[in-house]
Amino acid sequence: MNRDFHFGIIYIVARVAGLSGKDAQVVAHACQYVDDSTVSGVLHFAAGQTYERFASAHSMLDYRNFRNRADKLVWAPFHFVPGGVGLDFEERTTCRADSPIARRMMQRAIDARSRPNALHRLGVTLHAYVDTWAHQGFIGVISDLNVVHDLERFDRRPRSLLKIALGSWTLIRDLVKRMIVNFFLRLGHGAALHHPDLPWLHWRYVNGKGVRISRENLDQFVRAADAAHRAIVAYRTGVPDFTFAPGLPADVADALRRLMRDNRAEEEDERLAVIARALAAGAIPSLAEELPPYAAKGVGSWKHEATGLATAGADHTLRPPWTPDFETSHYRMFHDALKEHRFELMHEILPSFGLRLA
C-alpha cells in the first residue's frame, strides 16, 4: 500500500472511528512514516546527548538489502508480517492477510494505549497490519517464492498517444527491474512491481512455486480499512478483543470502495490529492473536512520539528542542539514506537508461534 491508503484512507477511517482530527493525524502520519523513515544510526546532539534510530524501510534495490540482510529487521516486521501457516519455514514466513500473528500484533499495540506514544504505536502497527492484505503471498525475507513470472494486469483504461509512449518506456523499465529483483534479490513483492499497492487493480502472476495467483486488490483494501476501523474503535473504547469491535458503517465502506475503485492515477500523490478533494467535498458520509498536510522529509516534517534538521537523507555529521522538547516530540515517540513494535513482534509474538527471525 502507498501514501494514499496509509495516510489518506487511514486518516478517514480514524475519524470515522471516533478519533479527534488531531489524534487521527498522528495515527495516519505514523502509519505512513513507516514507509518514509529510511535513516538509521545514532543521532548526535551538540552537547553530547545521543538518540538511536533505525530505518523501517529501504528502497527495494537499496544495497543494505544485500549487505545486512535487512529483510529480517525491516521488511518482515513492518511490511510482510509472517502468517505462521504451513509446514516449512518458507510457508510459515509468508505474509497472510489478517493472520493470527497479525491480529496478536495489532492487539498488543491497542493494549499499549496508556503509553505516551500510544497513538504513534497504533499508527506503526496499523501499517504492518493493513499491509498483510496487500502483501499476502510474498515473504519479507529473501526467497525463491518471491520470484514473479507472467505478470499481467486487467484494468482497461483509455490512454492518449503520449501515455502509450510513456507506458512503453515504463514497461521496459519495469521489465529490467523485475529481472534484477527476480534473479538477484528475490525480496518481498519487488518483482510484482507496484501491482499489490494499486487499490483498484485486478492482476495475476505465477509465483516461484509455479502457482498462478489472481488478485482483486479492491476487495482486499476495503477489508483492510474495515479491520483498521475495528482496531481504532477498540483502542478508543477499550474493547478487549478488537476483532469484536464494530467495522466500518456500510455507507462509509461503500464510499471508500467507490473512491478507491475510481481513483486510478498511477502516482500515489495524485491518488492522495483525489482523496483530499473527496474528503473536503463531503464524499465520505458524515465527514467533510480538510485532509491534514503530510511532510515526510525536510521543513515541516517530524524530524525537522524535533531537531531543526531539514536534511532529507543521512545526517550523521550534523549536531543539532538538544532541548527537553525532543523528549515529547512526534519524532522521538515515533522511533520509540518502531522499537517497541519490532521487539514485541520479533522477540515475543513470532517465537510464541514457533518462528524466530532475529
Side-chain angles (χ1 to χ4, degrees):
M1 292 175 175
N2 295 143
R3 192 171 295 141
D4 51 313
F5 193 98
H6 284 308
F7 185 74
I9 298 298
I10 289 297
Y11 177 83
I12 291 172
V13 169
R15 292 288 285 124
V16 173
L19 291 187
S20 68
K22 181 180 179 181
D23 287 352
Q25 182 178 5
V26 173
V27 171
H29 193 121
C31 185
Q32 171 55 35
Y33 197 28
V34 171
D35 275 343
D36 296 320
S37 180
T38 57
V39 175
S40 60
V42 176
L43 174 62
H44 294 268
F45 292 95
Q49 298 94 338
T50 58
Y51 179 76
E52 185 178 13
R53 310 153 296 175
F54 62 77
S56 54
H58 300 317
S59 166
M60 186 56 64
L61 298 181
D62 194 305
Y63 74 94
R64 286 173 289 187
N65 293 317
F66 298 91
R67 188 188 70 181
N68 293 332
R69 292 299 175 108
D71 48 347
K72 293 181 180 179
L73 298 178
V74 171
W75 298 113
F78 296 108
H79 308 279
F80 298 87
V81 176
V85 177
L87 298 178
D88 58 25
F89 179 80
E90 186 175 69
E91 289 181 348
R92 289 174 57 76
T93 52
T94 301
C95 185
R96 310 288 183 187
D98 201 22
S99 67
I101 289 175
R103 289 187 175 189
R104 178 84 60 84
M105 169 192 74
M106 192 70 250
Q107 189 64 55
R108 291 286 288 269
I110 294 167
D111 292 342
R113 66 174 66 84
S114 63
R115 294 183 61 82
N117 66 337
L119 289 169
H120 305 78
R121 172 73 181 277
L122 182 65
V124 166
T125 304
L126 276 169
H127 183 110
Y129 184 45
V130 298
D131 262 1
T132 66
W133 277 271
H135 297 168
Q136 59 185 293
F138 293 96
I139 306 180
V141 298
I142 295 172
S143 169
D144 288 337
L145 183 65
N146 292 324
V147 171
V148 168
H149 300 291
D150 299 333
L151 182 65
E152 301 176 89
R153 56 186 288 173
F154 302 98
D155 54 331
R156 298 291 184 259
R157 297 170 298 148
R159 298 195 300 168
S160 67
L161 290 176
L162 176 60
K163 288 188 175 181
I164 290 173
L166 292 174
S168 297
W169 162 246
T170 301
L171 178 62
I172 294 172
R173 181 197 66 193
D174 289 348
L175 284 173
V176 172
K177 180 179 178 181
R178 282 212 302 126
M179 290 175 61
I180 293 172
V181 176
N182 266 343
F183 296 109
F184 293 100
L185 189 53
R186 309 186 313 282
L187 175 62
H189 70 72
L193 306 175
H194 59 310
H195 288 41
D197 298 321
L198 298 178
W200 74 89
L201 193 63
H202 172 204
W203 58 291
R204 68 183 181 186
Y205 67 101
V206 176
N207 70 14
K209 290 188 174 182
V211 178
R212 182 169 293 280
I213 309 293
S214 181
R215 293 272 294 275
E216 293 274 6
N217 286 358
L218 184 58
D219 288 341
Q220 300 299 319
F221 279 48
V222 173
R223 289 176 186 143
D226 183 78
H229 183 272
R230 295 178 191 275
I232 297 169
V233 168
Y235 172 90
R236 185 178 61 81
T237 63
V239 174
D241 183 344
F242 81 94
T243 62
F244 290 98
L248 283 169
D251 56 350
V252 174
D254 289 342
L256 290 180
R257 176 180 289 275
R258 289 191 300 270
L259 180 57
M260 290 190 285
R261 179 195 66 200
D262 299 335
N263 185 10
R264 298 195 172 199
E266 295 285 333
E267 295 299 325
E268 59 184 307
D269 285 333
E270 293 182 38
R271 298 196 301 273
L272 182 62
V274 171
I275 290 172
R277 291 194 294 270
L279 176 61
I284 308 301
S286 303
L287 194 62
E289 59 188 69
E290 297 295 322
L291 183 69
Y294 173 80
K297 309 288 185 182
V299 176
S301 67
W302 279 357
K303 176 181 173 182
H304 177 252
E305 291 174 353
T307 67
L309 297 175
T311 53
D315 50 21
H316 304 306
T317 63
L318 302 177
R319 300 289 188 272
W322 177 89
T323 70
D325 289 342
F326 177 81
E327 301 308 316
T328 56
S329 68
H330 290 303
Y331 186 71
R332 181 232 155 179
M333 289 193 284
F334 169 80
H335 277 280
D336 283 358
L338 289 181
K339 298 171 187 176
E340 293 160 9
H341 168 89
R342 188 170 77 175
F343 181 87
E344 290 191 13
L345 177 62
M346 302 296 274
H347 296 288
E348 296 178 357
I349 297 174
L350 288 183
S352 73
F353 283 83
L355 285 171
R356 168 62 70 179
L357 294 181

